[in-house]
Amino acid sequence: MSDSPQWRLNPRAAFSPFEGGADQQWLLELRDERGEILRQTVSAKVHDALRLLIQPSTEQGLIENLRARGWSETALERLRVVLFEQAVSKRILIGAADEDLHAPLQTRKPAYMSFMLQLISARWVNQLVRPLVWLYSKPGLLLGALWAALGQVLLIRALLEPRNFLPPSSSEILTGIGIGLAVVLVHELGHAAAAWRLGARRVRIGVGWYVLFPVAWADLSEIWRFSARQRALIDVAGVFAQSLIVTVLMMGYHFSGNALLLAAAAAASLSVLWNLNPLLRLDGYWLLCDLMSISNLRAEAWVAFKWHWNHWASGRWRFAQAQRPMLSDRVSALLALYALVSACFFVFVCALAAARFAGAISTGVPDYYRRLAATPFADQGLADLTVMLGGFVWKLLLLVFLGRFLAKLTVQVFRWLGRRAA
C-alpha cells in the first residue's frame, strides 16, 4: 500500500457554481501554459471527492474514505474512471510531488471548426457594443420584440404580393453581399452586447469554417459562469439583433421599393431560422443546452442513446461501453431521440455533400470555368469582373473544404469498421 502513488487536486483548479440541472454542478477551470482555459463541469459528488484530495491520498485511500461515507460500489466504480483516468489525463489530479500545475495544452479551436480567424479583438468589441447594451434591458427587449414583429409582418405582406423583379446586376449583387456581411456583424455584436451587459469583457469576434460552411463566431466562453437564464438570453441575443435589422431593411423597402432590400430582409429572416436549428452547433443548439441545463448536449445525448440502444438491441451490434445516464428516464429517452435525429440529419448532410462534390467535380466547376474563359473581359465592368472571378474562387474554396470533409469522414468510417471487425 505504501508503494501506491499519491494524488492531489491541482491547486490551480478553480471551482465556481454552475447552474445545470436539478442537481448542483460545479464549473472547473484550469489554465494551460498559453493561458487557454480548460473548462469542465462536474457533479456535486465528483466535486466533493476532488475536494477530499486537497490533501494527497492514494486511490485506494480515497475509495475507502468514500465507501465509509456511504458511496455505493457502482458509484465508486464510475468515480474511478472519472478521477483516475479523465481527471488525471486533464491534470486536474496530479502527483503529490508534481510541480507542473498547468493543464494540457488546449486546442485553439473546437474540433468541429476547420479554422478560426479573429477579426475584432475584445478591446474593440467592448467599444462597439456599448451603444447596443440597452437593447437587452427589460424595456429594450420589449420594444425590440415589437419592432422585430413589425418587420416580420411587413416581410410576409411583401412576399405575398405578386411583383415582377428584374434579375440583379453585378453592382446589386455586391451591395447585397455587403448588406449580408453587415447583418452577420450585427448578429455577433448582439451576442457580445448581451454578454457585456452581464459582465463579460473578453468577447472576440471572427470568422471560421464549421464542417461544411463558413460561419461568424463570437468567443463566449466567459458566459459559462453565468446562470442558465442569463446564458439563454445571450444565446438568442444574436438572432434578436438580426431581427431588428430585418425591420430596418423592410422599412427601407416600404419607402423605396428597392427589391434588393426585400431580398436582403428575406435572407436575414431565413438565416434566423437556420441559426435556431438545434441539430447543428449554432445558436439553437446552445439555447437548447441552457434550457435543459446540460453543458454538453451532444455528448449527453449519445450517452443516453448508447444506453437505450443496448437495453433494446441484441446480437453483436451493441456498444461496448454504455454507462447509464445520470438523468431521469424521461429526459434520457428524449436525449436518445435527439441523438438519433441528429445522426439521421448528419447522414443526410453527408449524402448531400457527396452528391454536390461529385457534381462540382464532373460538371459544375468545369462548366463555370468554360463560361469564364469565353467571357470577353475587356467589355466587362469592374463589378461584373468581381462577381465572375469571385464566384469562381468561391466555388473552388467550397470544393476544397467539401473534399477535405469527405476525406476525413471516409478515414473515420474505415477506422470504425476496422475496430468493429476486430
Side-chain angles (χ1 to χ4, degrees), residues 1 52 57-71 73 76 79-80 84:
M1 185 68 70
L52 290 175
S57 171
T58 64
E59 176 181 343
Q60 189 60 36
L62 175 66
I63 296 300
E64 293 297 336
N65 191 345
L66 294 174
R67 187 178 286 121
R69 292 168 179 258
W71 281 52
E73 292 302 319
L76 288 174
L79 183 72
R80 286 180 188 270
F84 298 103

Side-chain angles (χ1 to χ4, degrees), residues 99-119:
E99 296 182 357
D100 183 3
L101 304 180
H102 293 101
L105 288 179
Q106 300 298 296
T107 58
R108 295 186 181 274
K109 59 181 180 63
Y112 50 83
M113 295 290 290
S114 298
F115 81 92
M116 297 177 68
L117 175 66
Q118 176 183 310
L119 296 180

Side-chain angles (χ1 to χ4, degrees), residues 165-382:
F165 296 109
L166 296 175
S169 65
S170 296
S171 297
E172 289 174 329
I173 291 175
L174 293 177
T175 302
I177 292 173
I179 293 174
L181 294 176
V183 171
V184 170
L185 176 60
V186 169
H187 178 109
E188 301 306 328
L189 289 176
H191 288 302
W196 194 95
R197 182 177 180 84
L198 295 170
R201 295 294 185 271
R202 295 194 297 273
V203 179
R204 302 170 295 134
I205 291 176
V207 295
W209 200 276
Y210 171 56
V211 187
L212 290 174
F213 51 87
V215 293
W217 53 265
D219 178 9
L220 298 171
S221 53
E222 283 182 274
I223 74 171
W224 287 114
R225 300 180 183 181
F226 300 160
S227 69
R229 182 177 179 180
Q230 291 173 327
R231 297 197 304 269
L233 172 61
I234 296 171
D235 294 335
V236 300
V239 295
F240 177 74
Q242 187 170 330
S243 298
L244 302 181
I245 297 300
V246 171
T247 307
V248 174
L249 293 171
M250 287 309 304
M251 294 296 289
Y253 170 74
H254 179 75
F255 289 108
S256 69
N258 190 329
L260 178 62
L261 298 178
L262 176 60
S269 290
L270 289 175
S271 175
V272 167
L273 297 177
W274 173 252
N275 272 283
L276 292 177
N277 177 5
L279 301 178
L280 299 171
R281 281 188 172 93
L282 302 175
D283 296 343
Y285 171 83
W286 299 112
L287 177 61
L288 187 58
C289 285
D290 293 324
L291 291 178
M292 297 186 69
S293 294
I294 297 175
S295 59
N296 192 334
L297 178 63
R298 196 175 296 278
E300 292 289 345
W302 276 108
V303 169
F305 178 79
K306 290 178 181 179
W307 170 261
H308 285 278
W309 178 269
N310 280 4
H311 183 69
W312 292 105
S314 61
R316 65 174 301 189
W317 292 101
R318 292 168 62 89
F319 292 98
Q321 296 180 348
Q323 298 176 347
R324 186 181 184 90
M326 300 178 66
L327 299 164
S328 68
D329 291 341
R330 181 180 179 183
V331 173
S332 66
L334 289 174
L335 287 182
L337 178 61
Y338 171 84
L340 179 61
V341 173
S342 296
C344 292
F345 180 76
F346 181 73
V347 170
F348 169 76
V349 169
C350 291
L352 184 61
R356 292 290 298 273
F357 183 78
I361 288 291
S362 61
T363 58
V365 172
D367 287 349
Y368 197 95
Y369 174 75
R370 283 192 290 269
R371 291 199 304 270
L372 194 64
T375 300
F377 288 98
D379 300 333
Q380 304 297 316
L382 179 60

Side-chain angles (χ1 to χ4, degrees), residues 122-159:
R123 176 185 175 186
W124 283 103
V125 169
N126 290 337
Q127 296 296 323
L128 291 172
V129 300
R130 290 188 180 184
L132 303 176
V133 170
W134 68 272
L135 286 173
Y136 301 97
S137 63
K138 290 183 178 179
L141 289 171
L142 177 60
L143 293 175
L146 294 175
W147 178 256
L150 173 62
Q152 295 304 310
V153 170
L154 292 175
L155 176 61
I156 292 172
R157 287 186 58 185
L159 293 176

